[in-house]
Amino acid sequence: MNRVWKFGADVDTDQIVPGRYAPYMRPDADVGEAAFIEARPEFAKNARPGDVIVALENFGCGSSREYAVEALKRRKVGAIIALSFARIFYRNALNLGIPLFESPEIVEALQDGDEVTLDIPNRRVQCGEQVYLLPELPVFAQEILKAGGIVPYVRAYGRFPGEE
Amino acid sequence: MGQTLSEKILSQHAGRTVNAGEFVVVEPDVVMSHDSLTPGIIKILRQELEMEKVRYPERLVFVFDHVAPASTVGTADSQNLARRFAQEQNIRLFDVGRGICHQVLVEERIAGPGKIVIGSDSHSTGYGSVGAFGTGMGSTDVALVWATGRTWLRVPETYRVVVEGRFPSGVDAKDLALKLCREITIDGANYMAVEYHGLDWMPLNGRQTLASMAVEMGAKAGIVPPTGLPGDQFPAPDWLTLDTDARYTQSLTVDLTRLEPQVSMPHAVDHVVDLSGVAGTRVDVVFLGTCTNGRYEDMKTAAGLLAGKRIAKNVRLIVTPASSRELSRAAADGTLAILLEAGATLTTPGCGMCMGRHQGTLGDGDVCLSTANRNFKGRMGSPNAQIYLASPAVAAATALTGAITDPRAC
Ligand code: SF4
């Protein structure tokens, strides 16, 4: 079982990892420990591998900093489910292999602190007796995630998704 | 069927006609990265892609602006690593003090009409000020462009902004940029390109202010048609023209003649009100700088209000020119002297305190009025600081009184 961490709308990358906590500024620190360090210190302390982030619109807006995604990856976030994602964040998350879904139904149903079971291969989240179906991702996103991220994808296929 | 500017630029690079919604793989003309992320990108290239050399070193540009000059042993070491890498591979590098990446690439005419410019920085939309398709990407995407010379993109839908009239006095491009954030909201142009029409009269600096803030509405690119720019400096390809039958997903018309000075309130860029709604708010720090408003014209506007006066007693006014060239221009005609005599603190050209890392980091409880583009909680330092965003004229008027002030009243 994993915990749901629910956030509101427009969570910007300064909330996920403030620029002052970038690897550039703290080369010897684990950026994973900086995940939500100021916006949600309990997350930085207590998040467990496989936990699910649920958010309203425009999750990850702001800077292009991939270390915001890197921090969530190091915390082994199981999936991010939101009403919508900011463009660069969406791309960065896929590139690093974090599954992310847009689902108004699940975002509405899941509350902060809920315990859930996440089953990505079967596209399911279970909360108590309720089972929710995760929406199907676009083909290119599925391919990148299946490979484990864009670097393994390009290394395996020698091309970008959708390229001849 | 006509095409939008993004569709035209991406079609040219893809070698076939593409329209919004399609995926393309293209070779960017320019790949910019700055000191904050270049060391990490080198690491991805070496450790994850297991490559030593970049594919087209002549297309890469490094700019050291985010912590410039270095403030810690770690940032100094990282910069040295990137310097060595650039030297070994013959990559152009603009070192500390030269200025902010987005300003330098425009000044050096590296970004130009019809080009695709990829930057390791979200404000790479700013290259749209010279008619380029500029967009920000994360470190892994940039490392892949270094390695392969290519990247993939979804051709964006386009949000058209039609601008009518001219600015009344005391109101400028920053007020328009904030007004657009207010109307379109922080994600209203997510995944889209914004095209700004009706601005043939607008000088380059105003276009840079607008295009840099396209990303604050979620946009992938923000393009001002290059008409009206000096053609000898920014030669536009003949295919880069507006089609009357291009397909725009959304459209917004703004009448400049009725625009008031705008202020964005903590802690979201689209939390914008007319200045009158926050006039009188006490301020500790005024910051004049960034890729959005750190140019000569911005300093000149501020100097116009500060000439012969002193800033309020309890205010710090920090001026960080966007580049060494802008600093020289301000020094040459006395603009800089006016700012210094009024009590301004001058810092090295670059990003300065925009990201809260050096040269004016905010502390608990500080209230800052900034000419930057972002006021997210904790962006400039303490999460318990407040950041308001406004134009250079509002910044200068506010520095004079120590509270948010309408420049038209000065
Ligand atoms: S000035 Fe600020 S917004 Fe512009 S590139 Fe530098 S850190 Fe980013």
Side-chain angles (χ1 to χ4, degrees):
Chain A
M1 294 275 264
N2 278 102
R3 187 191 194 284
V4 168
W5 297 86
K6 192 156 181 182
F7 292 84
D10 305 320
V11 172
D12 57 74
T13 52
D14 275 286
Q15 292 183 48
I16 305 174
V17 178
R20 290 165 285 112
Y21 292 82
Y24 185 42
M25 304 309 290
R26 308 193 320 151
D28 300 323
D30 173 7
V31 72
E33 284 169 12
F36 294 110
I37 190 161
E38 288 173 352
R40 197 85 190 263
E42 330 80 88
F43 183 95
K45 270 196 227 92
N46 302 332
R48 286 166 289 139
D51 280 2
V52 178
I53 291 175
V54 175
L56 305 183
E57 297 90 354
N58 200 28
F59 187 81
C61 63
S63 136
S64 66
R65 62 187 67 158
E66 190 176 87
Y67 54 81
V69 174
E70 177 71 29
L72 302 182
K73 188 180 170 180
R74 295 218 184 174
R75 300 311 294 256
K76 299 199 167 60
V77 164
I80 310 174
I81 308 168
L83 294 182
S84 64
F85 293 91
R87 181 190 79 82
I88 306 179
F89 185 91
Y90 186 85
R91 194 171 165 125
N92 285 344
L94 279 182
N95 281 347
L96 296 195
I98 298 186
L100 63 186
F101 303 92
E102 296 184 338
S103 168
E105 184 210 356
I106 301 178
V107 169
E108 201 195 324
L110 296 184
Q111 301 309 324
D112 191 58
D114 280 353
E115 291 288 322
V116 293
T117 309
L118 185 67
D119 176 1
I120 297 280
N122 294 309
R123 298 197 356 244
R124 274 167 212 285
V125 197
Q126 183 162 1
C127 182
E129 296 296 294
Q130 274 293 332
V131 178
Y132 302 95
L133 190 62
L134 291 161
E136 189 156 31
L137 294 173
V139 177
F140 77 96
Q142 287 180 33
E143 288 179 3
I144 294 172
L145 288 176
K146 208 160 81 195
I150 190 74
V151 168
Y153 182 95
V154 171
R155 295 197 65 162
Y157 299 102
R159 58 169 178 81
F160 290 96
E163 198 176 13
E164 300 290 299
Chain B
M1 191 71 200
Q3 286 192 301
T4 65
L5 296 180
S6 300
E7 287 168 336
K8 287 189 179 194
I9 295 171
L10 295 175
S11 293
Q12 282 290 327
H13 285 76
R16 65 191 165 95
T17 303
V18 292
N19 292 303
E22 288 182 60
F23 284 80
V24 286
V25 174
V26 291
E27 289 198 356
D29 302 285
V30 181
V31 192
M32 186 287 296
S33 59
H34 49 60
D35 57 313
S36 185
L37 297 169
T38 301
I41 302 170
I42 295 172
K43 201 162 140 193
I44 297 170
L45 183 79
R46 287 181 171 157
Q47 294 180 5
E48 293 181 36
L49 291 159
E50 298 184 68
M51 289 176 67
E52 264 308 310
K53 293 225 170 300
V54 305
R55 181 82 188 263
Y56 300 114
E58 66 280 11
R59 295 181 191 168
L60 269 57
V61 187
F62 293 176
V63 186
F64 289 2
D65 55 1
H66 273 57
V67 180
S71 63
T72 59
V73 175
T75 50
D77 288 345
S78 290
Q79 291 182 10
N80 285 337
L81 178 128
R83 279 188 192 101
R84 279 196 300 276
F85 185 87
Q87 201 173 16
E88 279 160 24
Q89 308 215 21
N90 243 333
I91 295 164
R92 269 173 299 184
L93 185 152
F94 297 96
D95 216 313
V96 299
R98 178 63 186 86
I100 304 167
C101 49
H102 310 308
Q103 177 65 18
V104 173
L105 263 64
V106 168
E107 281 180 10
E108 298 281 342
R109 311 292 183 244
I110 293 170
K115 291 188 177 176
I116 296 179
V117 185
I118 301 295
S120 74
D121 188 279
S122 60
H123 291 100
S124 302
T125 54
Y127 304 119
S129 60
V130 292
F133 183 91
T135 197
M137 290 189 184
S139 299
T140 298
D141 273 319
V142 174
L144 281 164
V145 189
W146 287 10
T148 66
R150 308 196 303 286
T151 195
W152 65 273
L153 284 163
R154 184 181 166 281
V155 183
E157 284 79 22
T158 293
Y159 199 126
R160 176 176 56 174
V161 171
V162 180
V163 181
E164 289 174 352
R166 299 293 170 96
F167 294 119
S169 97
V171 177
D172 73 12
K174 179 58 162 290
D175 299 299
L176 173 57
L178 292 174
K179 175 77 175 171
L180 293 175
C181 291
R182 178 178 182 171
E183 297 289 329
I184 296 175
T185 79
I186 195 166
D187 64 347
N190 199 8
Y191 299 106
M192 295 192 213
V194 178
E195 271 183 33
Y196 303 88
H197 295 184
L199 292 177
D200 293 353
W201 53 272
M202 186 179 270
L204 176 58
N205 67 297
R207 299 179 188 214
Q208 288 176 281
T209 302
L210 276 181
S212 75
M213 288 197 72
V215 70
E216 307 310 339
M217 304 176 285
K220 177 184 279 192
I223 310 180
V224 187
T227 337
L229 289 180
D232 52 333
Q233 296 171 48
F234 299 102
D238 47 11
W239 48 264
L240 195 63
T241 49
L242 292 181
D243 290 347
T244 45
D245 55 348
R247 207 160 45 120
Y248 300 103
T249 313
Q250 271 173 283
S251 202
L252 175 74
T253 300
V254 185
D255 176 8
L256 296 186
T257 58
R258 294 168 44 185
L259 190 60
E260 294 274 311
Q262 304 289 297
V263 177
S264 167
M265 303 194 297
H267 300 281
V269 184
D270 62 347
H271 199 180
V272 175
V273 295
D274 285 354
L275 183 143
S276 52
V278 281
T281 306
R282 184 193 59 79
V283 159
D284 303 294
V285 186
V286 173
F287 174 42
L288 179 64
T290 80
C291 52
T292 293
N293 276 123
R295 279 169 281 278
Y296 164 77
E297 292 83 354
D298 303 317
M299 292 185 271
K300 182 94 184 157
T301 297
L305 287 143
L306 292 169
K309 300 183 180 153
R310 287 288 299 181
I311 60 171
K313 223 158 123 221
N314 298 320
V315 169
R316 288 100 72 188
L317 168 61
I318 300 178
V319 177
T320 305
S323 73
S324 56
R325 191 194 70 164
E326 300 303 272
L327 171 57
S328 301
R329 290 174 73 196
D333 73 352
T335 295
L336 186 61
I338 293 172
L339 297 177
L340 295 176
E341 278 157 25
T345 298
L346 178 70
T347 80
T348 314
C351 302
M353 64 193 286
C354 181
M355 273 190 93
R357 288 170 170 176
H358 68 335
Q359 298 178 348
T361 307
L362 299 179
D364 272 6
D366 273 338
V367 179
C368 176
L369 183 122
S370 162
T371 61
N373 40 50
R374 276 191 187 138
N375 55 355
F376 299 141
K377 201 172 189 180
R379 164 118 183 141
M380 298 177 73
S382 167
N384 302 317
Q386 312 274 322
I387 309 167
Y388 292 83
L389 305 176
S391 72
V394 173
T398 299
L400 281 175
T401 61
I404 296 176
T405 299
D406 192 326
R408 298 171 303 183
C410 286

